[in-house]
Amino acid sequence: MNPHHDSHRMHVFRKYLFSIDHKVIGIQYGLTSLFFLLFGFSLMMLMRWQLAFPGTAIPFIGKFFGESRAPGGIMLPEFYNELGAMHGTIMVFLGVVPLGVGCFGNLLVPLQIGAPDMAFPKLNMASYWVFFLGGLTMLFSFILPGGAASSGWTSYPPLADIATIGQTVWLIGMVFLITSSLLGSINFITTVLQLRTEGLTFMRLPFFVWSQLVTAFLLLLAFPPLEAAGILQLMDRLAHTSFFLPSGLMISGEPLKGSGGGSVLLWQHLFWFLAHPEVYVILLPAMGIVAEIIANNIRKPLWGYTSMVYSVLFIGFMSFIVWAHHMFLTGMGTAMSSFFQATTMIISIPSVVILSCLFISLWGGSIRLNTAMLFALAFLPMFGMGGLTGLPLGLSVSDIHLHDTYYVIGHFHYVVAPGVIFALFAGIYHWFPKFTGRQMNEFLGKLHFWPSLLLMNAIFFPMLIQGLAGVSRRLYDGGLQYAHAQGVLSLNKVSSYSAWALAVAQLPFIFNFVFSIFKGKKVTSDNPWEATTLEWQTPTPPGHGNFETTPTVYRGPYEYSVPGASRDFTPQNEP
Amino acid sequence: MDAIPYTVKAREDTGLYNARLGIWLFLASEVMLFGALFATYVILRLGALHWPLGASLLSIPLGTFNTVVLISSSVTMVFAWVSLKEKNLGKYKMYMGFTIILAVLFIVVKLFLEYIPKFEHHLYPGKSTFWAIYFTLTGLHALHVLGGIGVNTYFWGPGANMWQSEPERFTNRIEIAGLYWHFVDLVWIFLFPILYLL
């Protein structure tokens, strides 16, 4: 059957909306998650107003939030909590992860392993639409009485157990998102293990595929305990059980109505059993993207590919036994703390190995500084900052001072925002030509990159300082009422102005992205970056079924500048 | 290049066809789901001041009966798959029919002889941590049984048409459904002692 003929016959709904083609599904994931990234970012910009100018009316748009959220345009604490909880939820579960896994994983994994599609195409479609339903559920929760969930993205009981109905809908939304990632992870693992083309042995897999494989295992095995926890919290809220409610609990001066006998720490254990691996679910695809882009733009093989692969496997394994370092201050005991502190120090080693390999790879390369490469290079020091600031949090003694302060916010945002999101931007600039046949504008790309790099640091570095001064996170007024916060209070304005400026700095990207789809410079080659991996050895854009003939792989993923070769790159499928 | 490889035949180096790997991965995630719930049971029970003996609140004869019913359905499920290997669709339909009937019997006993009488005595999940665990775990298990009934009924009815066009693929599907069904059975084999006997 001629695949091109076949695709013409397909109904438009089948082709673009309910497509089972991994590339269309990847693009659907990409557009949806970019929307949610922007939405989650907007929630945060509102919070930043309240932190910089507590108790003053939000200019221009304040009057649109209604009396229940912002009477007279002045944000109520409940609204602030709602924004905080939903910013975290949306950025993690609807923004960064679906972009890294759902979009890039779907687009690239089948192409990089020489497969015609994912192993289970219909499951793949179902995974997207269940994710979409989860997103709609989360958006819907904003219009409920009492608003969306407001107990933090961690949903700690007992607060979450007694919160308004938004929390119930949050849990239902999470069940959709968990189901979606479960379907996706089964699909990714099966695809990588089963559909590798002839000659593509494990040690010839591009690092990106390794990172996606490990990520899929984390999603597969770490998410179900959160689903279990979600079910138990739903039971607490709907069937009035007391899984997470201890005996003798008083709520607003009234004794608890349920039977009691539950454990609040149980939720935290179940939650962090997911949420620590989740950190690596966020991080690993980004590392994979960065490795691909760096290898391509230094024109030489990655230094230490084998150690990087073993490191990523080790990270995957270790990430299951570090979760309680989020709970040093819950009184779970020093023996437990010591264990989790030790595993936490151990897991930082493979991350450092990967980062070092990428740094050392740069040595002696003839580096091409295009926009994708700039973002990928910026990932290295920015993620480095995030990682290093994490060490004092992983040691239980120094964590006593830093726990639940702005230092924590600064730390993990360094990992996620200028780290992971920069890597995702790099991926968009790098692979854009493959799927559209056009290049994004380099000047606009640099106009996007340099201000973003500067502003990201201007947002998050002040938070590290505030945190060291002891300012708690989740304060509705940014620390206004606390004597110890007075010295660093003005930094709130620095962060806020930078955050709003960061929004402006994204305009070149949004314009560039939309403009280049239609009017960007056409690529003249299927392989404009002269890359070695298989996704570039397809037509542009790849048709239904991806490859014209099944490729055979003869060599490793990064054979750049092979001595004696006619060109400075030797594709994997070249005999 | 269009067709996805290894949908029916096994890949040589892994020895698996795609769906067989897929179902094992799914079962691995199910182990983590029920594992977390069993861990919850252990933690809450160890932390409780008083924990009732399951036998004093639940009926061991009914639980035993249901255990036998579910194990029998797993056996008939295997016979259904073997019948397809013997290329005997009629025998397959008979055994698959038994599997479905036994699963429905399990649900009927659970619902009408166990849940509803409990509700009539005002024993709801919110009554105590024991009842919370009992209803959550058995309820989630019952949902899995219902899911299995749905899948098996489809393969007994309209889904069986695939036997005419792709017999090998259909046999694989029954193997997959069987693996799931044995897992559901296995969960009950853990649930019965921890809730009824211990």
Side-chain angles (χ1 to χ4, degrees), chain B residues 105-124:
Chain B
L105 181 61
F106 176 90
I107 291 289
V108 167
V109 170
K110 194 86 225 154
L111 185 64
F112 291 101
L113 299 180
E114 295 203 81
Y115 280 176
I116 290 178
K118 294 284 179 288
F119 293 150
E120 281 167 356
H121 289 87
H122 299 287
L123 295 169
Y124 294 107

Side-chain angles (χ1 to χ4, degrees), chain A residues 46 57 74 479 528 532 560 574:
Chain A
L46 286 175
I74 299 167
T532 51
Y560 290 101
E574 203 164 281

Side-chain angles (χ1 to χ4, degrees), chain B residues 148-162:
Chain B
I149 291 173
V151 169
N152 288 346
T153 308
Y154 173 75
F155 286 142
W156 180 80
N161 291 338
M162 187 187 257

Side-chain angles (χ1 to χ4, degrees), chain A residues 37-93:
Chain A
L37 278 180
L38 192 62
F39 184 75
F41 185 35
S42 312
L43 300 184
M44 187 277 291
M45 286 193 281
L46 286 175
M47 295 166 74
R48 288 296 342 163
W49 176 268
Q50 172 62 25
L51 293 172
F53 306 102
T56 55
I58 305 164
F60 311 120
I61 49 173
K63 54 181 176 290
F64 297 116
F65 295 111
E67 288 298 304
S68 62
R69 284 192 163 103
I74 299 167
M75 186 181 288
L76 287 176
E78 290 78 10
F79 186 33
Y80 180 84
N81 285 343
E82 185 186 356
L83 291 173
M86 294 312 283
H87 167 72
T89 304
I90 286 174
M91 285 312 218
V92 171
F93 295 109

